[in-house]
Amino acid sequence: MSATIDTKLFSHYFNDCPIISISGKLFPVDIKWCNIHVNNYVDKALDTVVEIHNGGEKGDILVFLVTPDETEKACIELKKRLCNNLDSIIALPLHGRLQAIDQQNVFMIDSSGRRKIIFATNCAETSITIPGIRYVIDTGLVKERIYNDKLNCHALCIHPISQSSAIQRCGRAGRTQSGICYRLYSQQVYDNMSESSEPEIKRVYLSNVILKMIELGVTDIVNFNFIEPPSSQNIVDSLDTLYMLSAITSRTLPLSLTWMGRLFCQLPLEPRLSALVMNAKKWNILPEGVIIASALSISCNLYCRYGSEEDKRNSDLAKVQFCCSDGDVISAAEVYLKWLSFDYEGERKNWCYKNKIKHKLIRQLDSTVYELKQVLLSLGLVRNLTMKMPLQLDLCMRNKLRQLILQSYQDKLALFTGYSRLGYVMTSSDKQYLIHPSSVLFPLGCYPTFIVCQEILTTSDDFLINITPINEQWLHSVDGVNKSAKIRGVISNLAVTRTIDGLGSSILSDYNPARIHQFNKKLLHDEDIRCHIVSNLKDGSLDVTAIKSKMPKLVKIINESITRKKEDLINAIKTVPIDDHKDAPRLIIGRGITVKDILLPDDCVEFRITLCYAGNDNPDQDTVKDAINEAQALIISCGKLALSIDSAGINKSKDGKYIRFEKIVYQEISSQALLKGINRKMISGYEINVENESVASYYLLQDGTQVQFLWPRRLRNGNCTIICKDQEAASILIGLFPTTICCCTVHAWIDKNCPSNLFLRRLHPSIREVDIMTAIPLSNRSLITRLYFHRIADDTIPSTEAYKIDLCNILDSNGYAEKYSQVTIKPISLKNPTVIAYVTFRTNADAQSAVEVLNNQVFLQLINEPISVRLNLCRRIKCRPEIYNCVATMINHLRETINQGSDKEKIVRIHIYPSNEKYRTTLIVIKSWNEVNLNEAVHRIGKIIEPVKISIDDTEILEYFNTKDGKLFFTLLADRFEVYVKSDWRSHCLLIYGDKNVKEQAIEFCQKTIAFLLSKRNIVKLTANDKPRDLVKVIIKRYGVNLDKLRECSGADIIQLNMKNKTLIVIGSQESYTSVLNEIDLCCNSADICKAKLCNQMLASECCVSCFTEVDIDDCYRLQYCGHLYCRECIRNQINVALATSKFPLNCANCSEEFVINDLEQLMVELPQQRLFDILLSEFMRRNTNEWRFCPTAGCKSVYKRCDGDDVFTCYFCEKKTCRGCDADDHPGFDCNSIKLYRENPDASFLDWVDKRSQEVKKCPNSNCNAIIEKECG
């Protein structure tokens, strides 16, 4: 029995008969498993070969691969990998296609001691033993030919081997010595393999088997007790074939043979070929019929094609001389007759080698011919053994032979669809198939209308094998079958072509050759539609070809795909920064080339990612797992995640073909480009699709307020110095001592070195500064400037890192673990006994809380004394030098008057840093330890700098102030009123800076000027019936996009073009308006434009939808969404006019559909990018004034989003802090309502503050005094 047979199954079938096993001599073999999933088994096998070879131990290597091509390529690739050590190896392929001389190379023993490395198919599994093999590498896969009874065709499928095959492969390493078997799969995979290979009866067509069974007397095939029964459909198909060939009397039970069927049983051929031989005798062409039947018995596969790509190319060229339009079978017969014409075996062998013919196979054909002669002689069907063979086949004989083939393969009839890429339609099943590349018709480019094939084979596609062309008139002579009605139905169902036009390049990009190939494979697998799609970028169209019956469904599928793509185009967005700064907000630009939203530096970007399996079969669990792991690795590599990958929400379909990551949230906007870079990428057989980009609602807290921590770094020595105002004050205070402090008697002395100071000795360590101040009467405390404790000398400088760790531990233990972002320790010197640290808290509320909780507390990790904690209050205001020059006098006056009193804790310090070559803005820095005073100073400076706004709704008026005349007007205002004036594109208004009194006069002057300009406004229509159809194009070409030349020659103040309404807006005197009309008339009468009138009917597709003139196909642009055509000049003009007039969104001139972001990307190189983004930002801010605000600093582009709370916005550029709740300057310590109340009525807000702090703030007990006393030291 076979070594791979299922012995238990046979034993059970034969009444549980005993099993006797005779094992051969086998040396021990060590098995090494691969516990990781292997995606590319060829690469893994090569890696293992290199690893074994570099290990140094002797012994040949046998590698089991799947296909002959893989073995050839593996030999070439191995030589590349070991190019520096080629003298030590011999790489050889081994498969059934090799000629005998090449197969013998694997058995030769190399005298030089080189290692043999053999790459083989499963032919080396059981039938041969190769000496010297010590290592076996088993990929665990095999390619087998299997009959598919559902499709009535054969298929070459790659699938896992059985356990018995794995054992046989492993045994190859232990035939002559002990060895090692490397299995490129895990023990678990092996355990899940079937115990034995699938029996052949389940893998082949059964017509010949059934014929023999009926001859043996089996009349009921369906209910026969097979050891392993084949499928019932295979049995039915085989009976149909036998009945067609007249081999059985009927398809019903009991089955019996006809005289023809009994004759078939005597011939060593399958029934179809036996029928062919019998029909050949009937038609008196028996010798030729025997050759044809013998050629078909070996599948006409006479041509060698193996080796390198160059060898394969030479084989293809050698094959062309034998190709003929009569098909593969006739061609094989011609090759055989040519081989037969040589008298000697050596000549025949040399001829085969020279012409790339398989000598072994052609000898097998000759043996079959001889055997058939013997059988026919024994049956009395021929008179003598030397049946005369023809020297060649003439035209008449070829036609007879083709008709002969038709008789046996009439159920394999196919009709050409009319398009080579769609192949042929089978008349029996309405399925489409292609001619196999090995056919002789393939290099000839020959596609006969009717053909028959020997079989249908499924590999990478569905192919027809061994094709014979058929004349249509022969079909009527086919016995017993009425083909006419069926053929007429197939003829009416040939290939047709439909054109889907009006498509932009973004949609057509999904139909490039690579994606079309995948799309076609999916259609063929899922919908059984074979089609050919050609995209034409210049015409903006798709040419779709398919058979007529499939076309409606195909067009529907493509239209649905286009609709989905258009939805993607509508939803597509582009993010661009408003400035070059790394923290600048980013505009989200979408449909209509308008800003849909703004991404702030602390926003996140959210995506959904879907993995779609590209294979035809269902993926296994290992593949799904590998795809998820690889996708997660790619996702993590694209940027910092705001949410962990585990919380992404992974959903899988039941068949494993779709895997979805529902929520991928990135902290950084830069992740967007990286993530889109992996879109459409293939991993583990899955295609990645990135979709649904949006701004996530997961806000990362931005760093906010800084807090100062201060503590002594050295211990006290028990002494203290009190610094008094003067010597007299020291004399008064010395009279208060000795006194009791914290239950201890304390003495004081006048300092010898400085009589204005008091010196205290031997103080208890528990006594603090506040205790000393409390012991001194309240009336005498004003005599003390300050006091300090003396410290123990220490020459060592402690580590700032140690202090930093201790401070972090203190913060964490007090509940601030996630509330601060940075801790900084100032460098420590020997002279300075104090440690100063700054902690940046994420929010102002957390900073305030830390001050209240930690101030004056003792932390032994730092020192056994209270530490000082207070807010580090500082504000920066940036403004342009021109603005500061107008308000410098008022700010300097404020600096002189703002500080009243000597309390250093309440003093406000204002520093001015003028602009220079490095810094283009003037910087105003305000510092104080007192929140109230700091806020008051910032508010007053802001009021001084704040401009007065004059809103302008008409864009043409605002544009006027950007012209040369407008700038002269600003200069006039500056000279007359000593103010600074500028137009603000952000909010469509004029801004006037300066003294409050003169600003009012400047406003009145500006408003009169704007009213005067509006009174001179006129509109000229450019699309009236008496105007040429491309007038707009000529005007722009003659006068420029901004129409500067027209304004100069007419004397008008403002001229603007409205592309949407096709009108000119003219502002100026009546004479200038008349001059503009005359210039337009000149354009109308110009010789270079067409006089045709504008018509309201649909224009031809080759005309521009804007200027209505014919477009050069090489100088055009097609909109991505609606597909309408523009000439390049018109599309540029429309966008530039929109920029000049700030008219967005952009719409198609024909259908009013909005432009999409892909249009912007296509045209970006032709646009002034920064100007475009500035205008888009301005338009967005005007539409969303209740939600978004510009930074209050004049000229600053930064923006912030308003909110209901007291969150602070810190400008990335000018560093100005603004409250997002009330749009005022930052007001730490006050809520928005309190600061509003304070600014409206300072007294009222002050009294409200007193009421809220009733435990710490009291009114003076003296009824005649209204002063407020704040508790400080007791």
Side-chain angles (χ1 to χ4, degrees):
M1 282 188 175
S2 169
T4 58
I5 200 169
D6 189 346
T7 54
K8 293 180 181 179
L9 182 68
F10 272 79
S11 174
H12 179 71
Y13 184 79
F14 291 108
N15 300 321
D16 294 324
C17 67
I19 302 171
I20 301 175
S21 299
I22 303 174
S23 59
K25 184 180 179 181
L26 189 65
F27 290 91
V29 178
D30 185 19
I31 297 176
K32 295 185 180 296
W33 304 94
C34 179
N35 293 319
I36 60 172
H37 180 69
V38 177
N39 291 321
N40 190 325
Y41 57 87
V42 177
D43 277 350
K44 181 62 176 177
L46 288 168
D47 291 341
T48 307
V49 169
V50 174
E51 180 184 346
I52 294 171
H53 184 68
N54 291 336
E57 294 192 21
K58 295 183 178 180
D60 297 337
I61 304 172
L62 174 61
V63 183
F64 284 97
L65 298 178
V66 175
T67 66
D69 285 343
E70 286 178 354
T71 64
E72 302 282 353
K73 292 177 180 178
C75 291
I76 297 171
E77 179 64 24
L78 180 63
K79 291 176 181 177
K80 292 179 180 178
R81 296 193 183 194
L82 298 175
C83 58
N84 296 327
N85 199 13
L86 282 179
D87 295 338
S88 62
I89 64 164
I90 304 174
L92 299 171
L94 179 60
H95 52 80
R97 294 183 190 173
L98 290 175
Q99 298 205 34
I101 188 173
D102 295 320
Q103 291 179 349
Q104 288 299 318
N105 289 335
V106 302
F107 300 101
M108 296 176 63
I109 298 175
D110 186 68
S111 58
S112 62
R114 291 183 296 176
R115 187 198 299 271
K116 268 191 306 187
I117 302 172
I118 301 165
F119 295 94
T121 59
N122 63 328
C123 69
E125 191 173 297
T126 57
S127 58
I128 59 175
T129 297
I130 304 172
I133 297 297
R134 186 184 177 192
Y135 301 98
V136 167
I137 300 173
D138 179 14
T139 58
L141 299 171
V142 66
K143 189 172 188 178
E144 288 184 320
R145 186 186 183 92
I146 300 173
Y147 177 72
N148 189 328
D149 50 29
K150 294 181 180 178
L151 301 177
N152 192 21
C153 67
H154 287 86
L156 281 175
C157 301
I158 297 176
H159 59 83
I161 60 175
S162 64
Q163 291 183 1
S164 59
S165 294
I167 294 170
Q168 284 296 313
R169 292 185 176 188
C170 177
R172 299 301 99 188
R175 288 295 184 181
T176 58
Q177 58 184 321
S178 60
I180 301 175
C181 176
Y182 292 84
R183 288 178 172 168
L184 304 185
Y185 46 89
S186 65
Q187 175 80 52
Q188 183 181 1
V189 172
Y190 174 81
D191 293 338
N192 293 332
M193 290 177 176
S194 59
E195 290 187 6
S196 58
S197 302
E198 188 175 37
E200 190 173 1
I201 196 169
K202 290 186 175 183
R203 295 187 281 111
V204 299
Y205 192 55
L206 297 175
S207 59
N208 200 28
V209 175
I210 291 175
L211 187 69
K212 296 293 185 182
M213 290 177 68
I214 297 174
E215 183 189 20
L216 294 172
V218 180
T219 58
D220 186 357
I221 303 296
V222 176
N223 298 314
F224 182 77
N225 184 21
F226 291 96
I227 297 177
E228 289 192 72
S231 68
S232 57
Q233 184 62 47
N234 194 348
I235 294 174
V236 171
D237 291 341
S238 301
L239 291 174
D240 288 341
T241 300
L242 293 175
Y243 185 75
M244 180 192 73
L245 298 173
S246 301
I248 56 177
T249 55
S250 69
R251 300 186 185 91
T252 59
L253 301 177
L255 299 173
S256 61
L257 298 178
T258 62
W259 68 271
M260 183 73 77
R262 287 190 291 271
L263 199 58
F264 289 173
C265 293
Q266 306 301 316
L267 298 177
L269 299 170
E270 65 162 313
R272 288 182 190 271
L273 301 182
S274 299
L276 189 149
V277 172
M278 292 299 100
N279 288 328
K281 182 178 186 308
K282 180 179 177 181
W283 293 0
N284 294 321
I285 52 172
L286 185 57
E288 291 82 0
V290 167
I291 296 174
I292 294 297
S294 301
L296 285 167
S297 70
I298 63 166
S299 194
C300 305
N301 187 19
L302 298 176
Y303 308 102
C304 291
R305 193 177 188 274
Y306 63 91
S308 64
E309 292 299 322
E310 184 67 25
D311 293 336
K312 292 176 181 178
R313 194 177 302 110
N314 293 334
S315 298
D316 293 338
L317 293 174
K319 176 183 175 180
V320 172
Q321 61 182 314
F322 303 110
C323 295
C324 68
S325 59
D326 292 310
D328 297 294
V329 186
I330 303 299
S331 173
E334 290 277 10
V335 171
Y336 172 68
L337 292 176
K338 180 67 176 176
W339 178 84
L340 205 60
S341 66
F342 295 99
D343 296 328
Y344 300 103
E345 181 66 19
E347 292 177 337
R348 293 175 176 177
K349 195 170 183 179
N350 290 336
W351 179 80
C352 287
Y353 183 80
K354 180 180 178 181
N355 292 283
K356 308 296 182 181
I357 304 294
K358 296 178 181 176
H359 183 255
K360 182 179 179 180
L361 208 59
I362 205 168
R363 282 179 58 84
Q364 183 180 338
L365 190 157
D366 186 54
S367 299
T368 306
V369 170
Y370 178 78
E371 185 180 358
L372 274 175
K373 289 181 190 179
Q374 292 279 19
V375 174
L376 292 173
L377 181 63
S378 65
L379 294 174
L381 297 177
V382 294
R383 294 181 180 177
N384 55 63
L385 188 59
T386 58
M387 182 173 56
K388 187 177 181 181
M389 289 292 169
L391 297 177
Q392 60 182 7
L393 303 176
D394 56 25
L395 180 61
C396 180
M397 180 58 67
R398 292 182 181 190
N399 288 339
K400 287 183 178 181
L401 291 174
R402 287 194 286 149
Q403 292 181 63
L404 195 65
I405 295 169
L406 173 62
Q407 289 289 335
S408 291
Y409 293 95
Q410 54 189 271
D411 59 333
K412 303 287 187 182
L413 179 66
L415 175 65
F416 185 49
T417 59
Y419 202 82
S420 61
R421 293 180 181 269
L422 303 186
Y424 285 79
V425 181
M426 295 297 293
T427 57
S428 58
S429 63
D430 201 31
K431 281 184 63 66
Q432 292 169 257
Y433 300 93
L434 301 177
I435 294 178
H436 195 273
S438 65
S439 172
V440 296
L441 299 180
F442 194 84
L444 297 178
C446 181
Y447 296 94
T449 303
F450 287 95
I451 62 169
V452 291
C453 67
Q454 183 185 14
E455 64 176 346
I456 300 167
L457 182 64
T458 299
T459 54
S460 59
D461 210 325
D462 299 329
F463 293 109
L464 303 176
I465 303 297
N466 293 335
I467 296 167
T468 301
I470 300 299
N471 292 339
E472 185 175 358
Q473 57 270 26
W474 299 345
L475 300 176
H476 304 291
S477 63
V478 176
D479 296 337
V481 181
N482 182 12
K483 297 278 185 181
S484 58
K486 188 175 288 187
I487 290 171
R488 283 196 298 271
V490 175
I491 290 176
S492 65
N493 190 28
L494 298 183
V496 293
T497 300
R498 297 281 176 85
T499 300
I500 303 174
D501 52 15
L503 304 177
S505 59
S506 294
I507 295 176
L508 293 177
S509 65
D510 277 359
Y511 296 93
N512 59 40
R515 292 185 180 176
I516 284 178
H517 179 68
Q518 293 293 332
F519 184 68
N520 287 346
K521 285 180 66 176
K522 184 174 177 60
L523 277 176
L524 188 61
H525 180 264
D526 296 345
E527 307 292 342
D528 194 26
I529 297 176
R530 187 182 296 277
C531 65
H532 181 60
I533 303 173
V534 178
S535 61
N536 192 324
L537 283 174
K538 290 186 177 180
D539 294 340
S541 63
L542 281 178
D543 293 330
V544 182
T545 306
I547 60 175
K548 190 175 181 181
S549 62
K550 306 283 188 181
M551 182 58 75
K553 188 174 184 180
L554 175 61
V555 171
K556 180 183 178 182
I557 292 172
I558 293 177
N559 282 333
E560 289 174 352
S561 173
I562 291 172
T563 301
R564 288 193 298 271
K565 180 63 178 178
K566 286 190 173 183
E567 290 176 357
D568 292 341
L569 289 175
I570 290 174
N571 298 323
I573 59 174
K574 178 182 180 67
T575 59
V576 295
I578 65 174
D579 196 80
D580 293 335
H581 195 280
K582 64 181 180 67
D583 293 327
R586 297 176 73 91
L587 305 180
I588 300 179
I589 304 175
R591 186 179 182 184
I593 318 301
T594 56
V595 177
K596 303 303 180 184
D597 205 345
I598 298 177
L599 275 173
L600 298 174
D602 53 357
D603 286 343
C604 302
V605 188
E606 182 178 323
F607 296 89
R608 186 171 67 186
I609 297 177
T610 304
L611 307 183
C612 302
Y613 189 63
N616 295 332
D617 55 342
N618 293 338
D620 55 31
Q621 291 184 356
D622 288 337
T623 303
V624 173
K625 186 177 180 181
D626 289 341
I628 292 175
N629 292 337
E630 195 168 347
Q632 288 178 338
L634 284 173
I635 290 169
I636 292 171
S637 70
C638 288
K640 190 175 181 180
L641 292 168
L643 298 179
S644 68
I645 193 71
D646 297 329
S647 60
I650 303 175
N651 295 323
K652 295 178 287 187
S653 60
K654 290 183 179 180
D655 57 6
K657 286 195 170 185
Y658 298 96
I659 305 169
R660 176 171 289 169
F661 295 80
E662 296 290 351
K663 189 182 294 183
I664 303 296
V665 184
Y666 287 99
Q667 290 185 15
E668 300 169 356
I669 302 169
S670 58
S671 302
Q672 176 202 35
L674 296 173
L675 195 63
K676 288 192 173 181
I678 68 172
N679 192 31
R680 304 282 186 178
K681 185 174 181 178
M682 297 296 298
I683 56 168
S684 299
Y686 285 82
E687 183 183 60
I688 299 177
N689 292 301
V690 181
E691 53 192 72
N692 287 4
E693 176 188 351
S694 62
V695 181
S697 58
Y698 316 96
Y699 289 102
L700 304 176
L701 294 174
Q702 190 178 23
D703 289 350
T705 308
Q706 200 175 65
V707 174
Q708 184 194 68
F709 286 72
L710 188 145
W711 67 91
R713 67 180 181 87
R714 300 200 303 260
L715 294 174
R716 296 188 303 186
N717 62 6
N719 301 330
C720 175
T721 296
I722 300 176
I723 301 175
C724 305
K725 285 187 174 181
D726 50 34
Q727 190 171 348
E728 183 180 353
S731 301
I732 296 172
L733 290 174
I734 195 66
L736 302 176
F737 292 89
T739 186
T740 301
I741 303 177
C742 294
C743 302
C744 299
T745 302
V746 178
H747 297 268
W749 293 267
I750 296 293
D751 193 334
K752 296 179 182 179
N753 298 323
C754 183
S756 62
N757 294 348
L758 297 183
F759 186 72
L760 310 182
R761 290 182 180 175
R762 300 175 183 177
L763 296 177
H764 192 274
S766 64
I767 296 176
R768 298 179 299 171
E769 180 180 341
V770 67
D771 298 326
I772 298 174
M773 294 298 294
T774 304
I776 296 174
L778 185 63
S779 58
N780 295 329
R781 290 178 192 173
S782 59
L783 301 176
I784 300 174
T785 303
R786 70 184 182 93
L787 61 86
Y788 65 88
F789 292 98
H790 293 248
R791 304 284 170 178
I792 298 173
D794 187 0
D795 294 336
T796 61
I797 299 176
S799 168
T800 57
E801 189 64 29
Y803 277 130
K804 182 176 180 180
I805 294 172
D806 291 338
L807 183 56
C808 289
N809 291 334
I810 291 170
L811 292 169
D812 294 347
S813 62
N814 282 273
Y816 299 99
E818 299 295 331
K819 298 180 180 180
Y820 64 94
S821 62
Q822 187 176 7
V823 175
T824 305
I825 307 291
K826 287 189 67 174
I828 301 173
S829 65
L830 285 174
K831 293 183 179 180
N832 191 349
T834 306
V835 180
I836 301 175
Y838 294 96
V839 179
T840 304
F841 285 84
R842 298 190 184 279
T843 65
N844 186 65
D846 292 332
Q848 293 276 3
S849 172
V851 171
E852 294 175 3
V853 172
L854 304 178
N855 188 37
N856 286 325
Q857 297 298 314
V858 176
F859 299 101
L860 297 179
Q861 300 99 311
L862 303 177
I863 196 167
N864 189 18
E865 292 184 36
I867 67 171
S868 171
V869 183
R870 58 183 177 177
L871 291 173
N872 185 29
L873 302 175
C874 177
R875 297 290 181 271
R876 292 178 175 85
I877 299 176
K878 289 183 179 180
C879 66
R880 298 177 62 172
E882 299 89 346
I883 298 173
Y884 179 76
N885 293 336
C886 295
V887 298
T889 302
M890 291 178 284
I891 291 178
N892 288 328
H893 177 71
L894 178 65
R895 292 175 66 187
E896 296 171 0
T897 60
I898 197 170
N899 292 318
Q900 301 293 335
S902 59
D903 190 347
K904 294 183 179 180
E905 296 296 318
K906 296 183 179 180
I907 290 177
V908 177
R909 296 174 295 279
I910 300 175
H911 305 281
I912 308 297
Y913 299 94
S915 61
N916 51 43
E917 293 182 358
K918 185 176 181 180
Y919 300 103
R920 302 295 179 88
T921 59
T922 299
L923 178 64
I924 304 172
V925 180
I926 307 104
K927 295 181 178 180
S928 177
W929 293 111
N930 186 277
E931 293 175 342
V932 177
N933 292 355
L934 180 76
N935 287 330
E936 172 66 15
V938 171
H939 174 66
R940 292 173 65 178
I941 293 174
K943 283 293 184 183
I944 293 172
I945 297 176
E946 183 180 9
V948 176
K949 297 181 180 179
I950 303 176
S951 297
I952 301 176
D953 296 328
D954 295 281
T955 56
E956 58 269 14
I957 300 295
L958 187 64
E959 188 66 24
Y960 166 76
F961 289 111
N962 291 326
T963 63
K964 184 178 180 180
D965 293 339
K967 292 176 181 177
L968 288 174
F969 174 74
F970 288 163
T971 303
L972 174 65
L973 281 176
D975 294 340
R976 179 178 295 186
F977 301 107
E978 295 183 355
V979 294
Y980 175 71
V981 187
K982 69 184 293 290
S983 61
D984 185 13
W985 57 268
R986 309 182 308 174
S987 52
H988 282 235
C989 62
L990 293 183
L991 304 178
I992 303 177
Y993 300 87
D995 184 78
K996 180 180 180 180
N997 297 325
V998 297
K999 281 194 289 189
E1000 294 177 355
Q1001 301 175 32
I1003 291 169
E1004 183 180 356
F1005 189 81
C1006 287
Q1007 289 174 338
K1008 289 181 180 179
T1009 303
I1010 293 170
F1012 174 72
L1013 291 173
L1014 289 174
S1015 67
K1016 301 189 297 178
R1017 177 173 174 165
N1018 294 282
I1019 297 177
V1020 181
K1021 292 185 177 180
L1022 303 178
T1023 55
N1025 288 334
D1026 60 340
K1027 299 292 193 301
R1029 63 185 186 181
D1030 56 351
L1031 178 59
V1032 174
K1033 187 174 181 178
V1034 173
I1035 290 174
I1036 293 176
K1037 190 173 182 180
R1038 177 173 291 190
Y1039 301 112
V1041 173
N1042 296 322
L1043 304 180
D1044 293 332
K1045 294 181 181 178
L1046 180 59
R1047 188 171 62 251
E1048 290 174 3
C1049 67
S1050 64
D1053 295 317
I1054 304 170
I1055 300 179
Q1056 282 196 354
L1057 175 63
N1058 188 322
M1059 283 292 291
K1060 187 173 183 179
N1061 300 324
K1062 303 293 190 299
T1063 58
L1064 274 182
I1065 299 170
V1066 182
I1067 296 178
S1069 64
Q1070 190 62 35
E1071 291 79 8
S1072 63
Y1073 174 61
T1074 304
S1075 178
V1076 170
L1077 293 177
N1078 293 335
E1079 289 292 328
I1080 292 175
D1081 288 339
L1082 289 175
C1083 292
C1084 293
N1085 297 326
S1086 179
D1088 61 334
I1089 64 174
C1090 178
K1091 297 288 182 83
K1093 305 298 181 183
L1094 178 65
C1095 106
N1096 294 324
Q1097 300 176 353
M1098 181 62 70
L1099 297 167
S1101 60
E1102 66 270 9
C1103 290
C1104 172
V1105 296
S1106 181
C1107 66
F1108 315 118
T1109 56
E1110 291 187 2
V1111 179
D1112 183 359
I1113 202 69
D1114 294 324
D1115 187 32
C1116 67
Y1117 179 76
R1118 195 176 296 277
L1119 293 180
Q1120 301 300 312
Y1121 181 77
C1122 63
H1124 287 123
L1125 195 67
Y1126 276 83
C1127 57
R1128 282 277 175 180
E1129 189 173 353
C1130 281
I1131 195 75
R1132 284 195 297 268
N1133 291 340
Q1134 180 169 346
I1135 296 175
N1136 285 326
V1137 168
L1139 289 174
T1141 59
S1142 299
K1143 298 293 185 182
F1144 288 89
L1146 289 176
N1147 301 85
C1148 172
N1150 184 61
C1151 66
S1152 297
E1153 287 288 352
E1154 293 179 338
F1155 286 28
V1156 295
I1157 197 63
N1158 295 60
D1159 292 310
L1160 177 63
E1161 291 176 343
Q1162 296 278 348
L1163 300 166
M1164 187 68 78
V1165 294
E1166 305 176 23
L1167 299 176
Q1169 295 184 25
Q1170 194 55 53
R1171 184 184 170 202
L1172 170 66
F1173 299 148
D1174 289 348
I1175 291 173
L1176 293 181
L1177 174 60
S1178 174
E1179 289 296 307
F1180 175 82
M1181 299 298 288
R1182 291 182 66 190
R1183 295 196 310 269
N1184 299 274
T1185 53
N1186 294 330
E1187 189 177 0
W1188 289 87
R1189 292 282 192 273
F1190 277 108
C1191 173
T1193 302
C1196 183
K1197 293 181 181 179
S1198 186
V1199 297
Y1200 66 91
K1201 193 173 185 178
R1202 301 189 75 246
C1203 65
D1204 295 333
D1206 298 332
D1207 288 346
V1208 177
F1209 159 69
T1210 303
C1211 179
Y1212 73 93
F1213 181 72
C1214 67
E1215 301 178 7
K1216 181 178 179 60
K1217 292 190 176 184
T1218 307
C1219 175
R1220 296 189 182 193
C1222 62
D1223 302 319
D1225 292 328
D1226 181 24
H1227 42 79
F1230 293 86
D1231 58 28
C1232 294
N1233 291 330
S1234 299
I1235 200 69
K1236 182 180 179 181
L1237 178 64
Y1238 170 76
R1239 287 171 180 171
E1240 290 176 354
N1241 185 353
D1243 291 337
S1245 62
F1246 178 68
L1247 293 176
D1248 180 66
W1249 176 77
V1250 170
D1251 291 338
K1252 288 181 178 179
R1253 304 186 66 181
S1254 59
Q1255 299 298 322
E1256 302 174 9
V1257 179
K1258 304 287 184 182
K1259 288 186 178 180
C1260 178
N1262 189 341
S1263 58
N1264 296 323
C1265 179
N1266 292 323
I1268 300 297
I1269 303 172
E1270 184 177 4
K1271 181 179 180 181
E1272 288 186 352
C1273 300

